[in-house]
Amino acid sequence: MASSVKKEKKAGKFQWFVFLILIPVLFALVLGTVILSILGVNVADLGKNAIQDFPLAAAMFEEEKSEESVESTDVINEKEEEITRLQQELDTKNQEIRTLEEELEELHISIEAEREEEEPASNSHLKEVAQIYENMSAGKAAAILSEMNNGDILLHMEEMSTEARASILGKMEPEKAAKIMNELDD
């Protein structure tokens, strides 16, 4: 019976320790961790820093830090290599852009030159055709021009002298001549 009383006292002291000390301390730790996490405090880092003050735990974290630093150095080196490669690609693309812009500018210049060459040729051709109409009789020129659309008639008549225009318009149908005169005024 004495042994059962001793067991009850031991069990009673253990229960007393668990219910009055261990459970409230654990509850306080959990509650504190939750509150600090909600407030934005990194509890894991705080715990690591606190544990590092103990000699055995500090040695364990130093090994982890050295492994992490080697890994982070490798990652940094890889990223730096990638940055260098991307910078070289960027330089190459910028050079291509400059080359294409120069080619585009050259093409614009050549197109402008071709236009300038074509304009005098077309103007001289129109002047020649207008000269032909001026040398014809007004009736024949009016008959030929009457068969054209108003835009073409205007092009030819703008290159003619005023006297030639007047005599040709005088030989055209009045309605057509009136339309041409209106368009010549514009």
Side-chain angles (χ1 to χ4, degrees), residues 14 27 33 46-47 51 59-60 67 69 80-81 90 97-98 110 113-114 123 126 132-133 142-143 158 170 175 179 185:
F14 181 73
F27 180 75
T33 304
L46 287 176
I51 291 176
M60 194 169 66
E67 289 176 10
S69 66
E80 286 176 350
E81 289 174 4
L90 180 65
I97 288 171
R98 276 187 238 114
S110 67
E114 288 177 11
N123 282 345
L126 281 175
I132 293 171
Y133 289 126
E158 286 175 349
E175 293 173 1
K179 287 180 183 177
D185 287 338

Side-chain angles (χ1 to χ4, degrees), residues 2-134:
S3 67
S4 69
V5 172
K6 278 186 179 181
K7 283 184 182 179
E8 283 182 25
K9 280 188 177 184
K10 277 190 176 181
K13 286 182 182 181
F14 181 73
Q15 286 178 348
W16 178 82
F17 174 76
V18 168
F19 286 119
L20 291 179
I21 295 174
L22 187 63
I23 291 177
V25 168
L26 288 176
F27 180 75
L29 285 173
V30 170
L31 184 62
T33 304
V34 170
I35 291 173
L36 288 174
S37 295
I38 291 172
L39 293 175
V41 175
N42 193 344
V43 179
D45 286 344
L46 287 176
K48 282 183 182 179
N49 291 338
I51 291 176
Q52 286 178 352
D53 292 338
F54 297 105
L56 293 176
M60 194 169 66
F61 281 110
E62 285 177 11
E63 289 177 11
E64 286 181 19
K65 282 185 181 179
S66 65
E67 289 176 10
E68 288 176 5
S69 66
V70 169
E71 290 175 5
S72 63
T73 304
D74 291 342
V75 170
I76 289 171
N77 289 337
E78 289 175 9
K79 296 296 181 184
E80 286 176 350
E81 289 174 4
E82 185 177 357
I83 288 171
T84 304
R85 182 184 57 79
L86 290 174
Q87 187 66 37
Q88 289 173 348
E89 285 182 26
L90 180 65
D91 292 342
T92 304
K93 297 295 182 186
N94 284 337
Q95 183 61 36
E96 287 178 19
I97 288 171
R98 276 187 238 114
T99 304
L100 290 174
E101 285 175 343
E102 289 171 1
E103 288 179 16
L104 182 63
E105 185 65 29
E106 290 173 6
L107 287 174
H108 281 298
I109 291 170
S110 67
I111 289 172
E112 279 299 315
E114 288 177 11
R115 283 185 185 162
E116 289 174 3
E117 290 174 4
E118 289 176 4
E119 285 180 12
S122 63
N123 282 345
S124 65
H125 177 70
L126 281 175
K127 286 181 183 179
E128 289 176 7
V129 172
Q131 192 69 34
I132 293 171
Y133 289 126
E134 286 180 12

